[in-house]
Amino acid sequence: MEWLYEPWTWAVAGPLIGLFVPALLLTMNGKLGISSAFEHLCMMLMPKERHAMFSFNWKDNGWKVYFTVGIMLGAYIATRFFSSTDVAFLPEQYHSLGGVITLFAGGMLVGFGTRYANGCTSGHSIFGLSILQPSSLKATLSFFAGGLLYTLLSSIL
Amino acid sequence: MKNFVYVLFGLLFGFVITKAEVISWFRIQSMFRFEEWHMYLVIGSAVAVGALSVQLLKRSGARSLAGEELDYKGKTFHKGFIYGGVIFGIGWAVTGACPGPIFAQIGAGETPALATLAGALVGAYLYHANKSRLPH
């Protein structure tokens, strides 16, 4: 059982992540996806009069906030009880005021970009590609284009 | 009851992505620098299993627990898939987190990720406040 406490290999983790596609479809007829939870959370934080601006489908996407609560719990359990070492997921420089400002700015790009693109890595790159949807392939290639461009520029400058 | 099931699914998902370290800024950096194949193999094998499962479900005519026909409908393309996709990709490289992993980083005790989440909510709001002016 020692492997459970080590970081998992792609050969275990990847297929398990893929199984969420049929598991969510079969149980709840739900499509894997997370970024629309941002809209739901925005609406929870804003007065009702302004909810119309989101043109958000509660019936189809309302469950995602519960899903994100679960993600936090799962990550807590994984790191607190199923990890042999303390693993850092963010670099030291982000534990500073400047780092937090950078993360906030980067987070704005994540929130704006995923909603503009109508999906994120789970909705487009996992679910969308699993149903062989060409629009999700275009979105996925754009995600990587943006990330590669930024990484390339930041290593040159 | 339904909501409890969603929390449980989220819990399993959060556990797996944390153990796979796809929520790690370091792994995202290595991916965009082509220093290791981990992220590509995780995403690739997830899509392979997902796509195979969907084909099996389609062929078997499976229905959901509630007896409904399964909903495989994809999303209709517009220009935002490209523009928004590139913007998100930059944010992904900066923060080391796509939307699911933001919540996982918070659960894993990386408190600075709360700033990423706050930024993401502001970003989602700004998209909706400006969407009529953006090319789609």
Side-chain angles (χ1 to χ4, degrees):
Chain A
M1 291 296 278
E2 244 170 69
W3 63 272
L4 195 60
Y5 295 83
E6 305 292 327
W8 288 3
T9 158
W10 65 270
V12 172
L16 281 177
I17 291 170
L19 284 177
F20 279 85
V21 171
L24 279 168
L25 276 171
L26 280 173
T27 50
M28 319 303 275
N29 211 3
K31 302 173 185 177
L32 181 66
I34 290 159
S35 62
S36 50
F38 294 148
E39 269 132 351
H40 199 128
L41 289 169
C42 278
M43 291 168 89
M44 288 165 73
L45 293 169
M46 285 170 66
K48 271 214 165 65
E49 308 87 76
R50 306 199 55 191
H51 283 188
M53 69 180 281
F54 289 99
S55 58
F56 180 78
N57 193 340
W58 283 87
K59 199 173 148 281
D60 288 343
N61 289 317
W63 59 276
K64 282 170 185 167
V65 165
Y66 293 97
F67 194 71
T68 59
V69 170
I71 290 178
M72 287 192 264
L73 290 172
Y76 175 77
I77 294 169
T79 47
R80 181 79 176 75
F81 303 109
F82 291 92
S83 186
S84 48
T85 47
D86 259 341
V87 187
F89 295 109
L90 287 174
E92 197 48 50
Q93 73 257 27
Y94 280 165
H95 290 262
S96 65
L97 180 62
V100 165
I101 293 169
T102 307
L103 285 176
F104 182 83
M108 280 175 65
L109 299 178
V110 173
F112 186 94
T114 52
R115 293 330 302 147
Y116 194 5
N118 197 13
C120 61
T121 357
S122 56
H124 279 312
S125 309
I126 307 289
F127 185 83
L129 292 185
S130 288
I131 58 167
L132 311 176
Q133 178 75 15
S135 61
S136 287
L137 180 62
K138 289 176 195 161
T140 300
L141 293 176
S142 306
F143 302 164
F144 278 90
L148 289 170
L149 187 73
Y150 174 81
T151 308
L152 188 70
L153 288 177
S154 64
S155 60
I156 293 170
L157 301 174
Chain B
M1 179 59 201
K2 241 185 168 175
N3 295 336
F4 175 75
V5 177
Y6 288 128
V7 173
L8 193 68
F9 267 120
L11 191 153
L12 293 171
F13 191 75
F15 188 88
V16 174
I17 62 174
T18 303
K19 289 309 296 181
E21 298 192 342
V22 300
I23 70 164
S24 164
W25 179 88
F26 303 96
R27 295 280 195 181
I28 307 303
Q29 285 293 305
S30 308
M31 168 179 74
F32 285 133
R33 291 176 191 282
F34 298 107
E35 287 166 356
E36 59 173 28
W37 290 103
H38 180 78
M39 286 294 300
Y40 294 102
L41 291 166
V42 169
I43 296 173
S45 58
V47 172
V49 168
L52 192 69
S53 308
V54 168
Q55 288 307 316
L56 289 173
L57 290 180
K58 277 186 177 168
R59 271 169 213 194
S60 68
R63 285 173 174 262
S64 73
L65 272 185
E68 303 159 319
E69 268 186 53
L70 297 184
D71 177 11
Y72 311 102
K73 214 166 141 289
K75 294 167 178 170
T76 313
F77 182 79
H78 59 68
K79 289 182 198 128
F81 281 48
I82 307 288
Y83 302 139
V86 170
I87 293 169
F88 160 51
I90 297 169
W92 189 13
V94 172
T95 61
C98 42
I102 294 176
F103 296 97
Q105 287 180 353
I106 293 169
E110 290 283 12
T111 42
L114 287 166
T116 317
L117 178 60
L121 297 187
V122 172
Y125 168 79
L126 286 175
Y127 166 67
H128 283 284
N130 294 290
K131 68 184 162 198
S132 59
R133 288 185 284 276
L134 293 165
H136 278 88

